[in-house]
Amino acid sequence: MEEFNVDRFYSRLGKIHSHFKKHKSGNLWNDVSCLSLQKGPFDEDNPFKKSTILHQYLFGYELPDVILLLTEAGNCYILATKKKCDYLQPAVDNVPAGNSIVGLTLIECQKGGGKNNIEQLDELERHAKIDESNGKKVAVGIILKESILNDKKPQDSNKNGKKSLVTAWEERMQDKVELKDVTVGLSIVMSVKEEMELDLLKKASILANKVLKRGVITRIENVIDTELSVTHEQLAGELDGMIEDPSKVNLSSVDKDLVQSCYFPIVQSGGSYDIKISAQSNNSTMKYDIILVSFGTRYSDYCSNIARTFLVDPPKKVAETYEILLATHEACLKVMRPGKPLKSVHQEAQKYLTKSGNKHLIKCLPKNLGFSMGLDFRDSNFLLTAKNQAVFKAGMVFTLSIGLIGVDLEQGDKKATNSKSHVKNLDKFALLVSDMVGIQADGSVELFTKHDKSLDQISYQVNDSDSDDSDDKEDSDAAYARKVSRQEDNFETGNRRSGRLASHNGPELSAGAAERQKKQLKIMERNNEKRLRELQRLGNKKNGKNDGGAEAEEIVAYNKTTQYPDFVLPNQVKVDMAKECVILPICGNPIPFHISTIKNVVLPDPDTATYLRINFYSSGVALGKDAPANTVKLIQKYAPYATFIRELTFRSLESQNLTQAYRQISELRKRIRQRELREQEEANLVEQEKLVRTRTERVPRLSDLSMRPVFFGKKTTGNLEAHTNGLRFLSTRHEQLEIMYNNIEHAVFQPCENEIMVLIHFHLKNPIMVGKKRQKDIQYFTEVIDASLVVDAGRRSMYDPDEIDDEQRERHLRKKLNTAFKEFCLRVEKTSKKYGYGVEFETPYRDLGFMGTPSREMVFVQPTMNCLVNLTETPFFLVNMSLVDHVHFERVSYMSNSIDMVLIPKDHAKPVWRVDMIPTSDKDHVQDWLTDMEYSYTEGPMNLNWKQIMQTVQADDRFYMDTHDDEVTPKDAGWEFLSMQAKEDEEEEDTDGDDSVFSDGGSDQGSSDEEDEEEDASEEFDSESSEGSYDGDEDLEEQGMDWDEMEREAAADDRRKSRENKDSSASKKPPAKRRRR
């Protein structure tokens, strides 16, 4: 049992008491004088009793046979056994300041029920001040539904048949006080969740998402594809096992003791539907028609609920009704705002159905569209019914469950459905979608269960439509279903496959460029909305906070003139190396100038006299990248009203003083510059924790590794070890480098396949010093083949035994090294998790890789789970794809053999990443990967000035919005403008093409002749049309000439000009005058 959380106990008990005092006289607390909140024995059959929920809320655990008495004055008395009193003892005399609770008193009772605790019950009765003064009974608040005085509940007793402590207490109060229910008040207090509670609810919802994605959908698709016969109850049992054991859905890191199912999952199909939360899965075999799946997950006692509908061979009416259901779901989300009544959700659903012309579906809506959730799975005081007057508050969490039941499906609606489909047997159907919704303080809502519920993600087409119907009607149900589910058959195995699953099974089954473009439009829209929310959250965090940049520091060399050094003379230039100051004579007075104000110093070659010119940093001119940062800030601060000295020149007949001053100033500037560079290098360094070496067991180790970057020299070799909280590299020259687990952002293991090395790469969160430089990327590798090996270019026999032996040794070495590195990575993961760290190695997906030039040379770029990398060549290329906002392809045209890819960061102040010279043949391959990973992309024909574009985007507050500042004039949202230029060019080309083909003013004639071309084509139109076509083709040829044609044309032009020059020299008149008219 964990230690009792005293602060949380008083915080939550104080909330209950404050609300009780403030609303005592209302209907919430029924004007009671005190609260008696007792908990009876364990009840495993009903884990969501109000008293159980209250104990979990206050104590973190369920404490049976405990009586809690809370008076109006703020005194709390708890009657419990010794063991429970010991658990609660830390809270005694530790009431936080400012809390409405006055004090906590623990009353220790004896075992054996109420008979052995008469004195303790008498004491509790005295604290409750139970009397009948003035002829009126005192009102005491209890959870009336769970009271033993309730007729529907029999009296409880202990194991010996004696009355329990709670029973004895309630019977004692029965005749002395008036018992009133305070459940509503408790529900209101617990309905508004704290940050910790919201976090646990989100984790429970994430668990539900993972179970749905990796368990439910995968299992249903397998059943459909293999045509298995499974009952609803069997499938629900498998689903319940996945929830109870998260490792079955690849969540081995989740503690099984913290997870359980809220209720036995509900699976329904075959026309027998019940969308109530109390429904049960029956023993009927699951049909491939309309499948409803509902389940709830519980994480650390906090609940989540999710429901989805899966459509197999859906007729058009079913698919359209599902779209209406989703639209109703979205409409209901819009009214779930703080201050609005709960009944507005049901009213909005009816309003939307009426407005959209689907009033007949109102009768199919359930009476309850959801309920509040938290520790309690279903709070009956916060139901989303048409009559509930309670209001939404920020911090509340609901399950929004929109369903339709008993929707008629006529024979005509199923006419185009294949006769083998189970949908043919349905006369009525039901649909259901449930999600967890959090109410935000800014008036928005947050979906905790974010799994996609769009039609194309839940539809499956497993049977072809009847050919007779599909031939007659283009808009038939089958055509609609094919469009929705993108069905493809698996002809190799003869098994039928769901279209949704088939569309994700490889590039050979992709829907093509057109389908990819449709997906991109949705992805772009979702990403714009997501970025707007992110920027809004960042803006809220920055409100009321000062800018993180440091202010300018004033420069003071001397506080008074008496601090000048002794060697200062009135008419000589002197340098104080200790104070970093140059003392210059101005009008006979020595004036100090700090070295950071001097831009440069010039000593021209001496003539009759020696000159020393000193240039200063000043406003109105470029400061340069070498200017000290503090000097730049000072100039910006004083530029509006200060006068700056830009240059001073000194002349002397003797060169010794000025020459010495020149050397000292140059040396001092060099020192200051080096110091500033060193400070910049170390500015962002974060002090790492000390490495804790593992001494009790054998540590994972890799030997004879090379490291990049090196400490110094050309090569650094040594051993890499994994310890308790980090890795240690010890070189053969006894240099040591430590990498802490909590500083690793990405760890990549790249086996040796076609490369010359096998490597482990660490991309760090914060840079560390390697030698004298900061580094965020550290790599350890072993070469399989020496990179400098010279391959004999001579012809060798394929039967050469030496060459065969070399190849066999190389294959064996590759396999051995790959195995050793992989085992080391697995042991590092195990060690880090053992001590509370979460290092996980990613492996590049070689089949998704492509050639490109991220830096200086063409390399093979590969994606991993979270990154895009090339790690074999330096400089390393590693882009965290979670930081990428958008991808743009440049130089995309039919004439180009290669394209450039630009990765735009979410932080628009940072430069973009580039991968140039990607072969055009890889474009579709790369764009398919981006679409699958839900990254938006655009493409254009030219290279863009990204520095200027990013500055413009950074200054635009409405960049991701689709309207200008007036909120009316439409504009491109987000990165859509990058593709508009191509669209405009296409429209212009189409217009020009029409003008070149058709004769002047002949558009109407052209269209009519085209329709009757075989009967009424006129020779005149044909001639004009053909001439126009010829001209258009000629224009295209001129635009598309290759280099040879251009060179021939240039040579012909040179010959023509040469002849003209000869003619002009032989003529008496200049050519210009001959050509005049």
Side-chain angles (χ1 to χ4, degrees):
M1 181 177 287
E2 295 182 1
E3 185 178 350
F4 181 48
N5 193 323
V6 177
D7 293 336
R8 187 172 66 190
F9 168 73
Y10 277 118
S11 173
R12 295 180 177 181
L13 186 64
K15 287 181 182 179
I16 295 175
H17 179 256
S18 299
H19 196 275
F20 165 53
K21 285 185 64 177
K22 185 176 180 180
H23 304 279
K24 173 186 174 183
S25 59
N27 296 327
L28 303 180
W29 301 97
N30 291 319
D31 199 18
V32 298
S33 62
C34 64
L35 304 178
S36 178
L37 307 174
Q38 49 269 9
K39 172 71 182 74
F42 280 118
D43 187 358
E44 295 182 356
D45 296 332
N46 189 2
F48 299 113
K49 294 174 69 173
K50 202 67 177 182
S51 57
T52 303
I53 298 302
L54 181 63
H55 275 226
Q56 292 169 343
Y57 181 72
L58 292 176
F59 308 126
Y61 291 97
E62 179 183 359
L63 303 179
D65 296 321
V66 170
I67 301 174
L68 185 150
L69 185 70
L70 182 62
T71 66
E72 185 178 357
N75 291 301
C76 180
Y77 305 93
I78 298 179
L79 180 60
T81 59
K82 183 180 183 304
K83 186 176 181 181
K84 295 163 190 170
C85 288
D86 291 341
Y87 173 69
L88 301 175
Q89 185 62 38
V92 178
D93 299 329
N94 282 321
V95 181
N99 198 295
S100 64
I101 301 298
V102 176
L104 173 66
T105 303
L106 300 178
I107 304 174
E108 185 176 325
C109 68
Q110 306 298 322
K111 295 183 179 180
K115 186 176 181 180
N116 297 336
N117 293 282
I118 296 177
E119 294 181 1
Q120 289 85 344
L121 293 176
D122 289 340
E123 181 182 354
L124 194 64
E125 185 176 332
R126 287 195 300 271
H127 293 309
K129 298 180 181 179
I130 298 174
D131 56 35
E132 299 185 25
S133 59
N134 299 326
K136 185 178 179 181
K137 290 184 177 181
V138 174
V140 177
I142 66 171
I143 303 174
L144 194 59
K145 186 178 180 181
E146 299 178 12
S147 171
I148 56 96
L149 304 178
N150 192 331
D151 295 336
K152 297 181 179 179
K153 180 176 178 60
Q155 295 186 359
D156 60 326
S157 59
N158 58 21
K159 296 180 179 179
N160 298 324
K162 300 178 182 179
K163 291 181 181 179
S164 67
L165 187 68
V166 173
T167 303
W169 169 247
E170 291 189 353
E171 287 183 347
R172 175 180 289 226
M173 291 194 300
Q174 183 176 6
D175 298 327
K176 296 182 180 182
V177 301
E178 182 182 1
L179 299 176
K180 293 186 178 181
D181 188 30
V182 292
T183 306
V184 178
L186 294 173
S187 294
I188 289 178
V189 174
M190 292 191 290
S191 64
V192 179
K193 308 299 187 292
E194 303 168 358
E195 285 296 327
M196 185 206 73
E197 294 181 283
L198 291 174
D199 182 62
L200 291 174
L201 283 166
K202 289 178 182 179
K203 289 180 179 178
S205 301
I206 292 172
L207 175 63
N209 280 330
K210 298 296 185 183
V211 171
L212 178 65
K213 180 179 179 180
R214 301 176 182 176
V216 178
I217 294 178
T218 303
R219 181 56 175 155
I220 288 179
E221 287 177 346
N222 182 47
V223 170
I224 294 174
D225 290 339
T226 57
E227 302 184 46
L228 292 176
S229 178
V230 180
T231 66
H232 298 136
E233 191 172 12
Q234 286 176 339
L235 196 58
E238 293 179 18
L239 176 54
D240 189 63
M242 297 175 191
I243 298 172
E244 298 286 345
D245 185 4
S247 62
K248 294 182 179 180
V249 288
N250 298 328
L251 293 175
S252 56
S253 60
V254 178
D255 189 354
K256 291 193 292 186
D257 296 334
L258 299 178
V259 176
Q260 62 186 111
S261 182
C262 292
Y263 58 91
F264 193 72
I266 307 169
V267 181
Q268 305 174 76
S269 68
S272 178
Y273 300 108
D274 183 0
I275 60 176
K276 295 179 181 179
I277 201 67
S278 58
Q280 294 183 352
S281 303
N282 56 36
N283 284 323
S284 302
T285 303
M286 189 184 78
K287 304 296 183 184
Y288 310 146
D289 45 27
I290 298 173
I291 306 170
L292 272 57
V293 178
S294 305
F295 62 92
T297 56
R298 204 175 182 197
Y299 181 81
S300 291
D301 296 325
Y302 283 84
C303 304
S304 176
N305 185 59
I306 191 171
R308 289 293 184 268
T309 301
F310 300 97
L311 308 179
V312 184
D313 296 334
K316 185 176 181 180
K317 180 177 179 179
V318 174
E320 289 178 344
T321 306
Y322 184 80
E323 294 280 14
I324 295 169
L325 181 76
L326 292 185
T328 307
H329 187 276
E330 291 296 323
C332 292
L333 284 175
K334 294 179 181 178
V335 299
M336 298 178 72
R337 300 288 186 267
K340 287 204 170 188
L342 270 60
K343 65 179 182 180
S344 62
V345 175
H346 208 286
Q347 293 172 352
E348 180 64 23
Q350 296 184 23
K351 179 181 177 182
Y352 177 81
L353 291 176
T354 303
K355 186 178 179 180
S356 61
N358 298 288
K359 191 174 182 179
H360 64 283
L361 293 177
I362 294 178
K363 64 179 181 181
C364 302
L365 280 173
K367 295 181 180 180
N368 178 11
L369 297 184
F371 40 83
S372 174
M373 296 188 69
L375 286 167
D376 194 352
F377 175 73
R378 179 181 181 272
D379 194 328
S380 58
N381 296 296
F382 290 93
L383 303 179
L384 300 181
T385 61
K387 297 181 180 181
N388 198 330
Q389 299 289 342
V391 296
F392 290 106
K393 294 181 181 180
M396 287 184 171
V397 178
F398 289 81
T399 178
L400 178 62
S401 183
I402 306 297
L404 297 171
I405 188 168
V407 185
D408 293 327
L409 190 62
E410 306 291 343
Q411 288 297 326
D413 300 326
K414 302 177 288 184
K415 186 176 180 181
T417 306
N418 191 291
S419 58
K420 297 180 180 179
S421 175
H422 293 173
V423 179
K424 281 283 190 179
N425 302 323
L426 293 180
D427 296 325
K428 294 180 182 292
F429 66 93
L431 303 172
L432 179 63
V433 169
S434 296
D435 279 309
M436 293 288 290
V437 181
I439 311 299
Q440 305 293 310
D442 59 359
S444 63
V445 295
E446 181 181 2
L447 279 178
F448 292 172
T449 48
K450 300 179 181 180
H451 193 275
D452 196 353
K453 51 185 174 289
S454 58
L455 183 60
D456 60 336
Q457 293 297 313
I458 56 91
S459 296
Y460 301 86
Q461 187 73 18
V462 298
N463 290 295
D464 294 332
S465 60
D466 291 337
S467 57
D468 295 339
D469 297 329
S470 60
D471 292 341
D472 295 337
K473 293 166 51 179
E474 283 296 327
D475 60 344
S476 64
D477 295 348
Y480 186 85
R482 282 196 300 272
K483 176 184 175 182
V484 168
S485 58
R486 307 185 301 280
Q487 184 268 343
E488 293 194 23
D489 291 327
N490 186 346
F491 293 104
E492 295 181 4
T493 62
N495 295 334
R496 55 186 185 179
R497 298 181 62 84
S498 64
R500 179 189 167 280
L501 183 62
S503 66
H504 293 80
N505 274 354
E508 70 277 4
L509 299 178
S510 66
E515 188 68 25
R516 189 171 63 231
Q517 191 62 32
K518 292 179 182 178
K519 292 181 181 178
Q520 277 295 314
L521 294 175
K522 296 180 181 178
I523 293 173
M524 182 88 72
E525 183 179 356
R526 286 198 300 269
N527 288 354
N528 288 340
E529 295 175 357
K530 182 179 178 181
R531 289 291 290 149
L532 277 174
R533 291 194 295 270
E534 290 177 357
L535 293 174
Q536 185 178 7
R537 286 196 295 269
L538 289 174
N540 293 337
K541 291 181 180 179
K542 292 179 181 178
N543 287 340
K545 296 183 179 179
N546 295 327
D547 189 5
E551 296 183 358
E553 181 182 354
E554 298 294 339
I555 301 173
V556 178
Y558 307 103
N559 293 320
K560 49 188 177 181
T561 56
T562 56
Q563 295 178 347
Y564 285 0
D566 298 334
F567 55 79
V568 172
L569 297 175
N571 292 315
Q572 286 190 2
V573 177
K574 294 295 183 180
V575 179
D576 187 352
M577 302 294 284
K579 293 290 187 178
E580 300 177 354
C581 185
V582 180
I583 302 173
L584 303 176
I586 300 178
C587 299
N589 297 315
I591 307 297
F593 291 83
H594 195 269
I595 192 66
S596 63
T597 63
I598 297 177
K599 187 175 184 179
N600 55 47
V601 58
V602 180
L603 183 71
D605 293 335
D607 193 3
T608 57
T610 302
Y611 292 86
L612 180 68
R613 186 170 71 250
I614 301 176
N615 297 319
F616 296 89
Y617 292 110
S618 61
S619 65
V621 296
L623 299 179
K625 63 180 181 179
D626 293 336
N630 189 59
T631 302
V632 174
K633 294 178 182 178
L634 286 171
I635 291 174
Q636 293 173 349
K637 179 179 179 180
Y638 292 106
Y641 50 84
T643 301
F644 291 83
I645 298 175
R646 184 169 294 178
E647 178 184 325
L648 289 175
T649 302
F650 298 91
R651 177 180 179 274
S652 176
L653 295 176
E654 295 183 1
S655 62
Q656 181 179 0
N657 175 256
L658 294 183
T659 303
Q660 182 181 2
Y662 171 76
R663 288 198 299 267
Q664 289 179 330
I665 293 173
S666 299
E667 177 64 24
L668 187 56
R669 290 187 67 249
K670 181 180 178 181
R671 293 182 187 178
I672 297 300
R673 179 60 181 163
Q674 290 177 346
R675 185 179 68 190
E676 187 173 27
L677 289 175
R678 186 168 61 253
E679 290 175 353
Q680 290 178 358
E681 287 285 334
E682 299 175 356
N684 296 328
L685 293 177
V686 177
E687 185 177 357
Q688 296 191 89
E689 57 182 314
K690 293 185 178 180
L691 182 72
V692 179
R693 297 182 62 182
T694 304
R695 302 181 184 277
T696 59
E697 56 183 328
R698 185 175 180 181
V699 298
R701 179 183 287 106
L702 274 179
S703 304
D704 299 328
L705 299 180
S706 299
M707 188 182 86
R708 294 191 293 187
V710 298
F711 287 106
F712 62 87
K714 291 185 178 181
K715 194 171 184 180
T716 299
T717 59
N719 301 330
L720 182 64
E721 300 173 347
H723 290 276
T724 301
N725 63 335
L727 298 134
R728 185 181 74 154
F729 178 77
L730 187 63
S731 73
T732 53
R733 293 191 289 260
H734 304 290
E735 301 147 332
Q736 185 170 313
L737 182 69
E738 297 174 354
I739 302 175
M740 300 298 107
Y741 292 141
N742 57 9
N743 193 32
I744 297 176
E745 184 173 6
H746 297 289
V748 182
F749 160 58
Q750 180 175 303
C752 176
E753 294 183 11
N754 294 332
E755 294 83 5
I756 64 172
M757 64 181 69
V758 54
L759 60 87
I760 295 174
H761 188 94
F762 298 104
H763 182 73
L764 307 180
K765 298 176 183 177
N766 302 302
I768 60 176
M769 296 297 293
V770 179
K772 297 182 179 180
K773 292 186 178 180
R774 291 188 310 166
Q775 302 290 347
K776 286 191 71 174
D777 290 277
I778 310 294
Q779 184 180 111
Y780 302 100
F781 66 95
T782 296
E783 290 185 343
V784 180
I785 306 173
D786 189 355
S788 61
L789 180 65
V790 178
V791 180
D792 186 6
R795 181 173 297 178
R796 302 180 66 179
S797 171
M798 61 181 295
Y799 301 106
D800 187 348
D802 295 336
E803 186 172 359
I804 294 174
D805 290 342
D806 291 341
E807 291 178 355
Q808 290 178 348
R809 280 194 296 270
E810 180 184 327
R811 283 195 298 268
H812 178 72
L813 182 58
R814 286 178 186 269
K815 184 176 180 181
K816 180 180 178 181
L817 289 175
N818 286 342
T819 303
F821 273 67
K822 184 176 181 180
E823 290 179 353
F824 176 78
C825 293
L826 293 174
R827 295 181 65 185
V828 170
E829 289 181 352
K830 184 177 179 180
T831 302
S832 65
K833 290 180 181 178
K834 178 181 178 181
Y835 294 104
Y837 302 93
V839 177
E840 292 185 0
F841 283 87
E842 306 176 38
T843 302
Y845 301 124
R846 188 172 185 83
D847 55 336
L848 297 177
F850 53 91
M851 300 300 295
T853 309
S855 182
R856 295 187 296 266
E857 58 181 319
M858 183 76 75
V859 295
F860 190 62
V861 182
Q862 306 173 79
T864 67
M865 179 66 71
N866 301 302
C867 304
L868 188 65
V869 302
N870 172 262
L871 305 174
T872 54
E873 305 295 336
T874 54
F876 304 127
F877 178 73
L878 188 147
V879 178
N880 185 350
M881 292 302 291
S882 64
L883 303 179
V884 174
D885 189 15
H886 180 75
V887 181
H888 182 70
F889 293 91
E890 298 178 331
R891 298 192 302 110
V892 178
S893 66
Y894 292 107
M895 302 297 296
S896 178
N897 293 325
S898 62
I899 59 176
D900 302 334
M901 182 171 70
V902 180
L903 304 165
I904 304 173
K906 292 181 178 178
D907 185 355
H908 298 153
K910 295 182 178 180
V912 299
W913 299 284
R914 298 186 63 93
V915 181
D916 297 332
M917 300 301 292
I918 301 174
T920 305
S921 57
D922 288 337
K923 180 171 77 77
D924 290 340
H925 178 64
V926 176
Q927 291 179 351
D928 280 336
W929 168 67
L930 290 172
T931 304
D932 291 340
M933 299 301 292
E934 294 201 343
Y935 292 106
S936 61
Y937 71 82
T938 51
E939 52 184 51
M942 62 186 70
N943 293 102
L944 302 176
N945 185 348
W946 286 103
K947 184 176 181 181
Q948 182 177 355
I949 290 175
M950 298 303 285
Q951 291 175 351
T952 305
V953 170
Q954 191 176 7
D956 188 359
D957 294 334
R958 301 182 62 86
F959 177 68
Y960 292 100
M961 301 182 187
D962 57 0
T963 57
H964 289 283
D965 292 334
D966 58 6
E967 298 185 356
V968 176
T969 308
K971 72 176 186 69
D972 295 325
W975 300 102
E976 293 177 359
F977 75 95
L978 293 175
S979 60
M980 287 303 295
Q981 183 65 38
K983 294 180 180 178
E984 292 173 359
D985 292 344
E986 289 176 3
E987 292 174 0
E988 291 174 2
E989 290 175 5
D990 293 340
T991 305
D992 296 341
D994 293 342
D995 291 340
S996 66
V997 172
F998 295 103
S999 60
D1000 296 338
S1003 60
D1004 296 338
Q1005 179 185 3
S1007 62
S1008 62
D1009 287 346
E1010 186 177 0
E1011 293 173 356
D1012 305 324
E1013 185 176 3
E1014 294 180 357
E1015 300 178 4
D1016 303 325
S1018 64
E1019 296 179 0
E1020 181 180 354
F1021 176 81
D1022 290 340
S1023 63
E1024 292 178 358
S1025 178
S1026 61
E1027 289 175 2
S1029 298
Y1030 175 80
D1031 294 339
D1033 293 341
E1034 190 175 43
D1035 292 339
L1036 291 174
E1037 289 176 2
E1038 289 179 358
Q1039 295 176 3
M1041 290 187 296
D1042 58 18
W1043 285 108
D1044 294 337
E1045 292 174 342
M1046 293 173 67
E1047 289 178 355
R1048 287 196 296 269
E1049 184 174 342
D1053 191 44
D1054 291 341
R1055 288 194 297 271
R1056 188 183 73 253
K1057 289 181 179 180
S1058 178
R1059 288 196 299 269
E1060 289 178 354
N1061 291 335
K1062 290 179 181 180
D1063 293 341
S1064 63
S1065 62
S1067 175
K1068 295 179 180 179
K1069 296 182 180 180
K1073 292 184 178 180
R1074 284 204 307 269
R1075 285 196 292 269
R1076 285 179 181 169
R1077 298 289 183 186

